[in-house]
Amino acid sequence: MNEKALKTLEFDKITEQLAEYAASEQAKRRCLHIRPLTDRAKIELYQQQTADALSRILKYGGLTFSGVHTVTDSLKRLEIGGTLGTTELLRICSLLEMAKRAKTFSRSERMGEETNDSLSSYFAQIEPLTPLHDEIRRCIISEDEIADDASSRLRSIRRSMGGRNDKRRGQMNAMINSTTTRSYLQDTVITMRNGRFCLPVKAEAKAQVPGMIHDQSSSGSTLFIEPMAVVNLNNELKELLLKEQEEIEVILADLSSRTADYADALSADYHILTELDFIFAKATFAKTYSGVAPLFNTDGRIHIRKGRHPLLDKKKVVPIDVRLGEEFKLLIVTGPNTGGKTVSLKTVGLLTLMGQAGLHIPTLDRSELAIFQNVFADIGDEQSIEQSLSTFSSHMSNIIRILKKANDRSLVLFDELCAGTDPAEGAALAISILTTLQKKGAVAMATTHYSELKVFALSALQVENACCEFDV
């Protein structure tokens, strides 16, 4: 599909808005890179998926995919025998929670049976892997905390650490509360230096408080001493901390090994959930502008019923009816300035692109769109200072490119065709361009102020006039 036309018709703004309704990074990327298709079977399948997702949303409420994190890198590490960290395991747990929610959502609690539609196979393939989810959740409390009950050895180590901590605190408090020791201290507080508990001892009294000096104040008047009475307890605690870390690594390795056993199922869950996230983003987006699935044909026939430009406020925009490609293939749109000619032109082009991308369109039911191999548009100010081209010259350069590529499977949109030059010459040139497109069999729509073009539409075969009226 012609990228220039996608930009001219602001299709990128549609994809940006669509991406806001996706939760996972993969689905957001899919939304941003969605492009119009030309395969009718695929287009109709994607439209059906969007319609079925919208139907489920309207019946049972929305389905959010906020728990779907990217796990592909983690699964690759498991393939080569790597161990995952707490963050990675919690992301897998979150993925499985989302899988469970999706599985529940797929069943109609009111009807007591599953909905059977184009999305049913996706939901049917989801595996919540409840035992794995429960084991990860049992062992890991948060990214920074492993549960005491993750293993009996970890529980035993932490119980020993608690006992040593209580004993150390008791001894330190006893020294602070001792009348003799208190006179040697700058302050009756316990401080931490280099990961060790210390007392702030006056420099001249260091001999009275035997222990290890870990630091001193900037003035040198205070020494931070770890009393000898708690040195051994601190050493024991340090050994227990190392044992705790070793046991945590064993627990994570065990959880990683269990997770690796389900790598294929996890990969499938991830791809299914991101695909559903993408489909439901399209449906949720369609709900915001009351979109419907159009009918499609390959005969170049367009019939838009009360179509609205999706980027305009639906409460203010005036809906349009457009027929094109059946009795006539060229439509000349006339009317006053600010009467809606350009918006009508952009609406036809943008709705065509959206429909072929599998997106619903803001029209009434039974609106019909043709499937085009390419859409071309010459709209807006094409002036190029860098290439020393005037507005008229730039438009003509673009029109020449369009005429070279257009065929009987093309939709061509011209705004103010051949304006910006002598009216008589511009009108003659415009008629020549439209006649050329007519010979190629292209479907075209052009706005104009030229009276000659209106007369051309009245006299030529398969050309029709249309007008946009101005509401005074």
Side-chain angles (χ1 to χ4, degrees):
M1 191 63 70
N2 180 22
E3 288 292 327
K4 182 175 174 59
L6 295 182
K7 188 173 182 181
T8 300
L9 295 168
E10 300 177 290
F11 186 72
D12 57 323
K13 291 184 180 178
I14 295 293
T15 60
E16 286 168 8
Q17 288 188 10
L18 174 62
E20 292 175 9
Y21 294 94
S24 63
E25 287 303 315
Q26 176 66 12
K28 283 182 182 293
R29 282 196 293 271
R30 287 280 305 278
C31 291
L32 290 171
H33 293 96
I34 192 173
R35 287 293 180 269
L37 305 171
T38 56
D39 185 322
R40 182 172 180 173
K42 282 187 178 179
I43 292 169
E44 291 180 339
L45 171 62
Y46 294 159
Q47 284 286 354
Q48 187 61 52
Q49 289 175 345
T50 305
D52 289 338
L54 181 57
S55 176
R56 286 178 183 247
I57 289 170
L58 295 174
K59 283 182 182 178
Y60 315 122
L63 178 63
T64 59
F65 292 82
S66 55
V68 181
H69 300 286
T70 305
V71 296
T72 48
D73 289 343
S74 299
L75 295 178
K76 285 178 183 176
R77 287 181 58 200
L78 290 175
E79 282 180 19
I80 59 174
T83 297
L84 304 183
T86 54
T87 302
E88 292 173 293
L89 286 165
L90 284 175
R91 284 183 175 179
I92 287 171
C93 190
S94 177
L95 177 74
L96 295 176
E97 285 172 358
M98 183 60 240
K100 185 177 181 180
R101 287 204 308 274
K103 202 77 172 176
T104 302
F105 177 83
S106 70
R107 299 184 177 94
S108 168
E109 294 179 4
R110 295 177 186 174
M111 301 298 292
E113 58 183 17
E114 293 191 13
T115 304
N116 187 22
D117 57 23
S118 65
L119 305 181
S120 298
S121 61
Y122 287 107
F123 285 107
Q125 293 175 65
I126 295 172
E127 293 288 344
L129 304 177
T130 305
L132 177 62
H133 165 272
D134 292 348
E135 183 64 11
I136 294 173
R137 187 57 72 196
R138 183 184 72 83
C139 295
I140 304 176
I141 296 173
S142 69
E143 292 183 9
D144 304 314
E145 187 177 2
I146 301 292
D148 292 350
D149 292 332
S151 76
S152 56
R153 185 165 183 264
L154 183 63
R155 186 170 57 250
S156 174
I157 290 169
R158 286 182 173 172
R159 190 180 292 120
S160 298
M161 289 170 66
R164 299 296 193 285
N165 260 322
D166 292 342
K167 195 171 181 181
R168 177 178 62 177
R169 193 177 299 110
Q171 291 197 5
M172 296 288 277
N173 285 331
M175 294 181 74
I176 287 175
N177 295 328
S178 166
T179 308
T180 307
T181 308
R182 191 181 297 176
S183 61
Y184 305 137
L185 305 179
Q186 290 282 20
D187 198 1
T188 54
V189 294
I190 300 169
T191 64
M192 183 75 77
R193 287 295 185 276
N194 300 324
R196 313 283 282 201
F197 284 100
C198 301
L199 296 175
V201 180
K202 296 173 183 176
E204 63 271 17
K206 68 176 181 179
Q208 310 303 321
V209 184
M212 296 177 65
I213 299 172
H214 286 283
D215 200 2
Q216 67 176 13
S217 64
S218 55
S219 64
S221 60
T222 304
L223 300 175
F224 296 95
I225 298 175
E226 180 185 13
M228 195 56 69
V230 298
V231 167
N232 288 337
L233 284 172
N234 276 335
N235 287 338
E236 288 175 15
L237 271 169
K238 203 161 189 178
E239 287 179 15
L240 287 169
L241 278 169
L242 291 173
K243 288 181 180 179
E244 179 193 36
Q245 192 55 45
E246 287 173 3
E247 183 58 20
I248 287 172
E249 288 173 6
V250 169
I251 292 166
L252 293 178
D254 179 59
L255 287 174
S256 297
S257 176
R258 293 188 186 203
T259 304
D261 293 339
Y262 297 100
D264 291 341
L266 286 166
S267 179
D269 278 351
Y270 172 71
H271 288 105
I272 292 168
L273 290 172
T274 53
E275 182 69 19
L276 285 172
D277 187 11
F278 171 62
I279 293 169
F280 274 82
K282 291 191 291 182
T284 309
F285 184 41
K287 185 184 173 193
T288 64
Y289 56 78
S290 305
V292 298
L295 304 173
F296 288 98
N297 66 81
T298 54
D299 305 322
R301 192 171 60 255
I302 296 173
H303 185 191
I304 293 172
R305 303 173 67 244
K306 301 298 179 190
R308 292 174 283 106
H309 195 289
L311 298 177
L312 299 178
D313 186 346
K314 66 180 181 181
K315 293 179 181 177
K316 295 180 181 178
V317 67
V318 179
I320 61 167
D321 293 298
V322 179
R323 287 188 301 109
L324 179 60
E326 194 166 9
E327 299 96 347
F328 50 89
K329 285 200 169 185
L330 297 185
L331 185 64
I332 309 298
V333 185
T334 60
N337 288 328
T338 72
K341 297 190 301 298
T342 303
V343 171
S344 299
L345 198 70
K346 285 188 169 184
T347 301
V348 172
L350 187 54
L351 297 194
T352 295
L353 296 176
M354 289 174 65
Q356 289 185 219
L359 299 173
H360 281 9
I361 58 173
T363 64
L364 292 183
D365 282 335
R366 301 189 314 281
S367 288
E368 195 169 4
L369 294 177
I371 296 172
F372 295 102
Q373 286 182 345
N374 234 321
V375 176
F376 300 100
D378 185 68
I379 301 171
D381 186 4
E382 293 284 335
Q383 188 174 25
S384 174
I385 296 172
E386 293 87 352
Q387 296 176 22
S388 302
L389 293 174
S390 68
T391 301
F392 177 77
S393 300
S394 296
H395 278 293
M396 288 310 302
S397 297
N398 190 34
I399 289 168
I400 289 167
R401 285 193 292 269
I402 291 171
L403 290 176
K404 286 179 179 177
K405 295 179 181 177
N407 57 28
D408 60 352
R409 294 292 305 282
S410 300
L411 172 65
V412 184
L413 307 169
F414 292 125
D415 187 30
E416 298 296 346
L417 180 59
C418 296
T421 188
D422 176 81
E425 293 178 2
L429 191 56
I431 291 170
S432 176
I433 290 166
L434 292 175
T435 303
T436 301
L437 285 174
Q438 194 176 28
K439 288 178 181 177
K440 286 174 172 280
V443 175
M445 185 173 172
T447 68
T448 187
H449 282 103
Y450 291 145
S451 297
E452 292 88 342
L453 280 183
K454 302 173 191 178
V455 174
F456 167 72
L458 288 171
S459 58
L461 293 174
Q462 290 199 323
V463 187
E464 187 65 72
N465 268 319
C467 68
C468 288
E469 294 181 351
F470 184 74
D471 185 339
V472 177

